[in-house]
Structures are given as structure tokens and as C-alpha cells.
Amino acid sequence: MLSPLRLWLAWLRLSLLLAIGYGLVLLAGFQARAHREQDQGLASPLPASAAPAPPFLGITLYPEGLTAPGLERTLIGLAGAGFGWVRVRLGWETIEPAPGDLRWQEADRLLEAIERAGLTPVVVLDGSPAWARSPQDQLRPDAHLAPPADLNDYARFAGAVATRYGDRLRFYQLWDEPNIAPHWGARHISPVAYAQMVKAAAPTIRSVDADATILLAALAPTADRGHTAQDEVYFLNRVYAAGAAPYFDAVAIQPFGFGFTPQEPRQHLQTLNFRRAVLVRRAMLAAGDGATPIWLVRYGWNRALNSPWGSVEPHHQIRFATGALEIGYRHWPWVAAQGWAAHAPALPDSHPLAGFSLTPALADGFRHWAKTATMHPRQPIPTSREMIAARPLATAPLTVLPAPATTILPWGWLAAAALLWLWRTWATLRLLPWRAKPAWLHAAIWTALLVVYYMATWPPLIALCWVAAALLIAATPALGVGLALALLPFYFQHKEVQGVDRVWAIAPAYAALLCTLPALLIWAKQRPWIGSQRLRRRASVWPPATAGWMAIGWMAVGLLGAAGVWYWPAYGQGLLALVIAPLALFTLLRWWEPARAQPSRMAGALFAGGLFLTLAGLGDWLRGGGTVADELRRLVGPTFSPNHTALYLERTLFLGLGLALARQGWQRWGMLAACGLIALALALTGSRGALLLGAPAGVAALILLKPSIGNQLRRLGRGPLLIGLGVGIGLALLLAWAFGPRLLNSATVHERLAIWSVTLALWRDYLLFGVGPDGFTWRFPAYLPPNSPLDPDLRHPHNLWLELAAQGGLVALVWLAGLALLVANWSWRNRHGLAWPQVGLLAGLAAAVAHGQVDAFQALPDLAAWNWAALALLLSWPAQPKTAAPQDSGSWTSLADRTSSSY
């Protein structure tokens, strides 16, 4: 026992160590950021098979308002300023104002002038005529920027352009800025719909112009990720997910400098600067595409005041323009072309684009750069038939920009410091007393801690809350697991923690498991369990150990799914959420003594989580929240859909019934009242899968697994049974009347059938191992037919068997069939000796399996964790009630041991 002074010093040392630990984490973050800002891994050149490119330097021209002689003079001036290609828009709405009425006069004049000036044309096929738009896009003043209702109409227009100009064109950009409004009309931004546009138009162009180079639409720089704007990285990832990679030859982006210099090293989605090009390149490498070049079709700094792109002084504009060219030309070999933002000589000075237009000084800067660059050529780049020969220019030294700052501290020193910190922190933790405080003080501390954590946004305060929770859990170890179980349905109410230039989304249940780790380490240190005779004796009376092998099998399924992965960040997240975290919970509940010794408390915590979800959902519904479908306002709660809420509540309902029937007196009636609230919330979700499949299956499982229910019902007599039957029929009729339009809606049935058909096509290509955890979202869009009404962002195929087949292939289906047979066989053989909570758990799983025939079973993180927690509790329930009182009667664990006999 430490003296008060030494105890105070130990707590002080722990506080200092925590501050040092946080500093080490920050230092590692800064180190990683510095490593990324050196563009590590991005210096490799494009392969020889990469798409041909025009001369490196180009410009986007806005010819509106120019006369024919003015256009000629402008283009000759651009060629004299060193530009090799010019990007122009061919508006579909102008060329084809009526179906089949093609008017080429303006396009002919523009392209002929570009050719006479010795420049390479890059055309942007953009816009839609009124006759091709959907009704929702007709009324907007910028409606011509909306995509067509039928993508085949756009493909025919693109084919007509290639047919007419194929002998003088090679570079076609399909659409422009589809990742921001209003360039995708009045609808939500949809990268998958845009990918289908590319998949429709590119083959049509190539069928008449075999050597065409197809550019993706130039993506606008934005930090948003919503319905009206999506950042370039996410948008491009979804384009790859839709299977568009074989249909384009280059990625076009617009890394404007805004208020930063071209040397600004930050590479973060929230930072709009020139180096956003590096973020896009990293996304392409993550998608496995290192062979496709990037075109910086529009870059630049604006000199006009109050410009939406930021404003710089004219002399800085010149310096930044040439400095950015140096970076792209000398340090980014994967950049095939780089174009200045705009030249709009006929626009008034008040127009925002006028601040990009060339001045004599800016044109001289480009001319000087072009002269020096030709004397230091890059690797040989294939040339197209339209490219002009490089003109001999005067030589001048080429300035190479310095690389960003090197690492802050060698990684070896950081690793050594981390090991030293762990050693001293562990030694300090061992000095502190880990006894439970009085119950009232414990509850007060937890209440204050949860309130602070809910409101905290400052990362050090969030970390401090985690440390405090870990200390509290160390005193009562099982509390951490119980807290994780209770927080499962709030997975999407995560806490965002800003770490240097990364944001980490930490789900509440994961935070609770993380805070349980110190308690687990302390317990393992104090109780050597490897080879323990005590453990072997207990293992002999546990249910069959096959469940442990099934858990190992599920981990193997998740790891084998890596064979079908292309987007590794999603695979890592899916492996954690759908495999590692549920199995960690299963392992703690099944084999960690503090949690395994009190399954009744653990089941109560699991039920409490569903009850919290019910109360949150009902409160939101009473305030007018929810979503309306089929004339019914459906309860949603803290999940992202009514069906998701129903999938969790049906599991909770039958677990609650099992817990209620195991109790007596007022406790039973209180639990049944809570189950009534859950049943009400379940009905208000309007989930047909829950009402027509899940609930009946759960009731059937209760009757089959507890034959005594039938005997008890028969003892009631005919009168009460008839009354109960009448009440049941009345409730069924009331539900049918209230939910009539919902129940009779057949549209979602056809939608499910279409989803299943597409998923079968996906599974055939990944038959053995599937596409990995969370891989469905990143493979499903590629199999959607053009103009498909299906949601391209589905997270699961709405069928238990297809869900497992897509995720883990045949291996996962075999695993699922084996697990189902084992659980069914064990449950049936032991049905006469099952405790009521076990029956409730099995009924909840039966309801989940039945509902899973038309919806998710384990594809959502909270459902996957519930399933594995239920399996662990089911198999770990004691066969006989405990009689011996625990030694530490003041702990939360011992209280559960005393009450577990009532179950």
C-alpha cells in the first residue's frame, strides 16, 4: 500500500507520462505528414504504354465574343507565347438544338482556326440541349449544364463529333466538372452515373476514331462531400468502383493555387492548393492505376480582386505560374500536360475569368519557361499526328525547386521513445490501486465523464476522457465490455478526432473496447492463464469448442477476401468493423474471465443498448423526425435507415423477452414494458421484413425451443386462448390497415430482385473468395446497367446468402452453412435445458436470419457485433446457477455474480 505522498507522486507521474505520450503521437503524425509531403512513392514515370499526350504546356480558351479575325490573332498569340495545345468547349446545346439537327458552323470555324495556328485542340464535349434533359433539369437558368436523361443521346453526339473531326482531333474530354453543382443539373452529384456516361460515350468515339485519347471530365477542386459537391478523391474512387477505368486514357483535374504558393506542401482534402494533384495521384495508385497519366487542364492564380479562386498580385501570378510548371514538368513525371486556367480576351474586366487572362508580362513568363524547358526535355513522350515539331528556342538554365523539408526525427528514435514510454507507463500503472470506488461515486464519475465526452471536440480532451475511462474500467474490468455492448447501436454517432492532417472516426463501442485494453493487460499479468489447471477444468465443462474454430474460420474468410480487393482503405475499414471488432467482442465474452463469469449482466447490457436505440428513435419520431415512405412516417433513430433500426430492434425484442421471462415479480413486468416500447418502435419503422419475416420467425423459435410454452398455454383454458387469439387478429388487422400502402407496395420487391441479379453477376467474377469485407460498395456499381434506377451506393445486397457470397465467396457460404448447422443442432439437442435468456438470444438470431433473406444480416458493423456477442453469450451461459459468493463483494463484477442465479 502506497503512502499518500507516494500515491500522489504516482498520479502526477502518470499525468506527465500521458502528456508525453500525446506528444509522441503528435510527433509521429507530423513525421508521417512530412514523409507524405516529400511526395514519396510518386516519382516513378509513366509506362511506355501510357496514352499519348500533346505538348506539355497548354491553355483553356474562352472564345465567346471574338470575331473571326480576333480569334485568329488570339490563337497565333497563344502559339507565340509557348503554348502547344488549347482546350475549348463544344457545347452540345449549340451544335444540336433539335434531335438530328446538327449545326457545325461555329465548331468548324473554331477548330480550323486552332489548326491554322499550329496548336493541338483538346475539345470538351459538354452541355445538353433542352430536348435531351429530364424534366427536373428544365427550369434552371444553367440547365444546359445538366446531363441528358438518356446517356445514349450523349454517346450519339460524341460519336458525331468524332465522325466529323476525327482526322483533326485526338483529345476528347467527356463533360466538365461533374463533381460540383450545377454541372450535374438539379440532381445529386453521382460519380457512378458519370462513369456510366463515360462507358457509353468512349466506345462510340473509339469506334470511329481508333486513336482517340479519352479524358475524364476535369474535376473541380472542392473540400465538400455531399449531394451538391464531392471532392476529387472520393469522386474518382467511385468512378473506378463503377468500372470506368478501361474507358478513359487520362484523368483531368484543376489544381488552382488559390491563396497558396505552388511550393505549399500541405496535402489534405480540406486544403485547396496546387498540390491537390498529389492527392489525386495517390487515389489512383490506391485504386491500382499507376499507368494512367494526369492532365492539369486548368491551374493558376487569379489577379482580380474578390476572385472565387483567391487573389494574388500580378508579379506573384507570373512567378507562381512558372513555378508550378517547374513542379509539374520536373518533379511529377505522371503529369502528361499542364494548362493555364483561362484566356478570355473578349470578356469584361469585371468577369472573374478575366483575372486569369494573359497579360503581356504573363505571356512573356510562359514564353521564357517554354524556351528553357525545351532544352531540358522530359522522358520521350509519344506524339500524335497533329502535334507540331518542337521549335528550336534559346537556351537558359532551368531552376529546380528545392524538395520539401525532410523528416523531423528518425523513425528509429521515435520507436525507441515509444517503447520507453510504454515501459514506464506500465510500471506506473502497476503502482496505482485498482479497487472499485463506492457505487454512488463510481456512477457520478461515469455520468460526468460521459457528458464531457459527448461534448468534447478538442483531441487532447477526448484522449483524456479515454484515459479516465480506462482507469475506471481497470477497477471493474467487465464494465468496459458491457459498455461496448450497450453502445453498439450508436456506431454511426462516432467521435471525429483530428490528428495532424487526418481525421479518425471512432465509434463509441470501439472507444469502450480500446479503454478495456489496460484492464485486460493487468488481468493477464496478475493471472497466468496459459497452461493453468483452472482454465483446463473450466474448458472441460464449456459447450463445444467448435465455436472458437468458427471464429477463426471467419477471420480466415475476411483475410482470403483480400484476393478480390482493389480499394484497400475500404478493405481495412471493413476488416476492422465486420471481422476484427466483432471477433474481439466474441473473444472477450467467451474467454475473458471478468466478462465470461457474468453472462446475465452482459446480456442485460446488450438489451440496454437496444432500449437506448428505441428511446432515441421514439423521441425523434415524436418530434416529427423520421422519413416518409408509402404514406407512412417511418422511425429512423440514430441509424441511417428505418430498416437498419428494425434489424437491430428485432434482435433486441426477443432478447428482452428472454430476459423478462427469467425474472419474477415487478422486474418481469418492467422488462415486458420495455419490450412493449421496443415492439412499438419496431412497428413504427414500417419494415416489412421485420413484421412479416423477422417477428414470426422469432416467435416460432420461442415456441420450438421452449416446449413448456405450449403446456402453459393449454393450462390457461379455451377462454383466455380465444381472447388472446382475438387480440392478436385485431392487432394484425390494425397493422394491415395502418400500413396498407406500405405492405402493398411491390416496387421494392422488384428492386430487390434487380439487386440480387446484379449481385449474382458480381459473385460469378469473384466466385471463390468474394470481394472482401466492405468490398461490395466498391464493386457493385461496376455491374449496374446504364440508366439503372438502383442505388449505386448500396452497402449490401439485401440477402443473407448473397451478402456472404459477395463478401467471402464460396468459402463464406460453406462457413455460414456450417455455423448454422452447428448452432441449430446444438440448440435443438439442448432445448429442454436452455435458460430463458438463451432462448431469447436464439429467437433474436432466428429473427435476424429470417429478415436477412431480404435485408442485411452482418454487413453492418453493429449487426455483425450483435451476432457474435449473442453467440458468445449463448455458448457461455452457465449450465447450473452459481452458489458461491465472490470475494470482492463491492465490485460491479461481484454484484452480477450474486444476481446471475436468478437467470
Side-chain angles (χ1 to χ4, degrees), residues 86-160:
V86 61
R87 176 175 170 265
V88 292
R89 179 180 184 271
L90 298 185
W92 181 16
E93 74 280 6
T94 303
I95 294 176
E96 193 178 8
D101 180 16
L102 297 171
R103 303 178 182 181
W104 301 106
Q105 294 84 356
E106 290 298 320
D108 288 345
R109 181 174 70 90
L110 181 60
L111 292 178
E112 288 170 2
I114 293 173
E115 188 175 25
R116 284 195 298 271
L119 296 168
T120 299
V122 178
V123 296
V124 180
L125 305 183
D126 187 31
S128 62
W131 61 266
R133 298 176 211 136
S134 62
Q136 71 189 85
D137 294 320
Q138 296 289 358
L139 301 178
R140 297 170 58 96
D142 46 17
H144 65 282
L145 298 177
D150 186 352
L151 299 179
N152 292 321
D153 291 334
Y154 178 78
R156 283 190 291 271
F157 163 69

Side-chain angles (χ1 to χ4, degrees), residues 366-423:
F366 283 120
R367 184 182 299 109
H368 176 72
W369 182 89
K371 289 179 181 180
T372 58
T374 39
M375 304 309 299
H376 300 268
R378 312 175 89 197
Q379 58 180 352
I381 300 175
T383 58
S384 66
R385 61 179 181 272
E386 296 88 4
M387 290 184 183
I388 60 174
R391 294 183 290 273
L393 300 173
T395 62
L398 188 66
T399 303
V400 178
L401 295 173
T406 55
T407 56
I408 301 171
L409 192 68
W411 285 107
W413 286 101
L414 275 177
L419 291 175
L420 179 63
W421 180 85
L422 287 173
W423 171 44

Side-chain angles (χ1 to χ4, degrees), residues 263-445:
Q263 292 85 0
E264 166 62 44
R266 278 182 286 179
Q267 301 168 16
H268 191 272
L269 284 175
Q270 302 302 316
T271 303
L272 302 180
N273 62 357
F274 180 68
R275 286 188 179 264
R276 288 184 76 80
V278 177
L279 286 178
V280 175
R281 183 60 179 174
R282 292 189 191 280
M284 295 173 65
L285 294 176
D289 184 7
T292 301
I294 290 179
W295 285 38
L296 313 183
V297 293
R298 291 180 73 206
Y299 85 99
W301 286 260
N302 199 298
R303 62 180 177 273
L305 297 178
N306 301 320
S307 162
W309 297 277
S311 302
V312 298
E313 295 289 338
H315 64 280
H316 287 315
Q317 184 185 44
I318 299 170
R319 186 165 60 88
F320 293 171
T322 55
L325 279 170
E326 287 289 280
I327 294 175
Y329 189 78
R330 301 296 295 168
H331 298 286
W332 294 346
W334 33 270
V335 172
Q338 190 165 336
W340 182 247
H343 184 50
L347 293 180
D349 292 341
S350 59
H351 196 283
L353 284 173
F356 287 119
S357 291
L358 297 181
T359 62
L362 184 57
D364 286 341
F366 283 120
R367 184 182 299 109
H368 176 72
W369 182 89
K371 289 179 181 180
T372 58
T374 39
M375 304 309 299
H376 300 268
R378 312 175 89 197
Q379 58 180 352
I381 300 175
T383 58
S384 66
R385 61 179 181 272
E386 296 88 4
M387 290 184 183
I388 60 174
R391 294 183 290 273
L393 300 173
T395 62
L398 188 66
T399 303
V400 178
L401 295 173
T406 55
T407 56
I408 301 171
L409 192 68
W411 285 107
W413 286 101
L414 275 177
L419 291 175
L420 179 63
W421 180 85
L422 287 173
W423 171 44
R424 298 319 304 158
T425 302
W426 179 254
T428 304
L429 290 173
R430 293 180 62 185
L431 293 175
L432 297 172
W434 301 110
R435 292 197 307 271
K437 304 298 181 183
W440 65 268
L441 181 57
H442 218 204
I445 295 174

Side-chain angles (χ1 to χ4, degrees), residues 508-531:
Y510 292 179
L513 287 178
L514 182 65
C515 295
T516 306
L517 184 59
L520 179 63
L521 295 176
I522 293 172
W523 177 84
K525 180 69 176 179
Q526 293 175 348
R527 301 186 182 185
W529 50 275
I530 298 178

Side-chain angles (χ1 to χ4, degrees), residues 464-542:
L464 187 61
C465 289
W466 289 343
V467 172
L471 296 176
L472 292 170
I473 290 172
T476 52
L479 184 57
V481 182
L483 192 61
L485 292 171
L487 294 173
L488 282 181
F490 300 92
Y491 176 84
F492 296 99
Q493 313 302 310
H494 52 254
K495 181 69 69 175
E496 293 187 349
V497 182
Q498 177 75 37
V500 188
D501 60 348
R502 295 291 179 91
V503 177
W504 307 93
I506 310 296
Y510 292 179
L513 287 178
L514 182 65
C515 295
T516 306
L517 184 59
L520 179 63
L521 295 176
I522 293 172
W523 177 84
K525 180 69 176 179
Q526 293 175 348
R527 301 186 182 185
W529 50 275
I530 298 178
S532 169
Q533 295 293 327
R534 182 182 181 188
L535 177 68
R536 287 201 293 267
R537 286 197 303 271
R538 290 188 175 181
S540 65
V541 298
W542 286 359

Side-chain angles (χ1 to χ4, degrees), residues 21 26 81 85 113 183 202 309 380 384 476 528 631 662 828 866:
L26 286 179
W85 57 269
H183 295 268
W309 297 277
S384 66
T476 52
E631 304 178 14
W828 185 253
W866 197 100

